[in-house]
Amino acid sequence: MFFQALFSPVIDLYIFYRLSGWKFKREDYAFSIVFIGTCVLAGSVVQIDDFLVDIIQAFLIFLFSYLVKKEKKVKFIFGAILFFELLDLLITISAEIILLIFDISSSSMTFVFLLVEFVIIVIIQKYYLKIRKLLNDRNRNCQIFCVNRFFS
């Protein structure tokens, strides 16, 4: 589970940066280290519940986005945070279901987790512009139409 606690925040940051369109700068490195370190510390060492770790992640990214990056599109920030947190929840639920259905060892579970994360990365890499467009405030009037077009 330490591997998941280490790898999951990295994927969450990747998704957030990909959706936000920000260029990675010097302050982003420091934030990434603090973000990943806090998540690993909370998830593995202190063994806080995944839900609380997700809240900590959302809080840290929102503070960083709003205070350091000076991003004023609060709806967009919340949308991007909710998107990667929902993906994180989906991955966790999928891993738990696979663990319950099949009698899988922890080393095999790590492989399944990596496979699911890789699929998520490929999907985000392919559709990040469409997802960003859906999260953009200008499209709030056509969200249902856009969601239907996204999946067609």
Side-chain angles (χ1 to χ4, degrees), residues 34 64 90 95 97 99 107 129 135 141 148:
V34 169
F64 179 72
L90 177 69
I97 288 173
L99 186 62
S107 62
L129 289 175
L135 291 174
N141 294 330
N148 289 336

Side-chain angles (χ1 to χ4, degrees), residues 7 10 98:
F7 199 64
V10 173
I98 291 171

Side-chain angles (χ1 to χ4, degrees), residues 1 3-4 94-96 98-99 102-117:
M1 291 315 261
F3 183 75
Q4 182 180 1
S94 301
E96 292 296 326
I98 291 171
L99 186 62
F102 305 105
D103 189 26
I104 297 177
S105 67
S106 61
S107 62
S108 298
M109 192 61 199
T110 302
F111 176 73
V112 170
F113 175 75
L114 280 175
L115 184 64
V116 172
E117 292 280 357

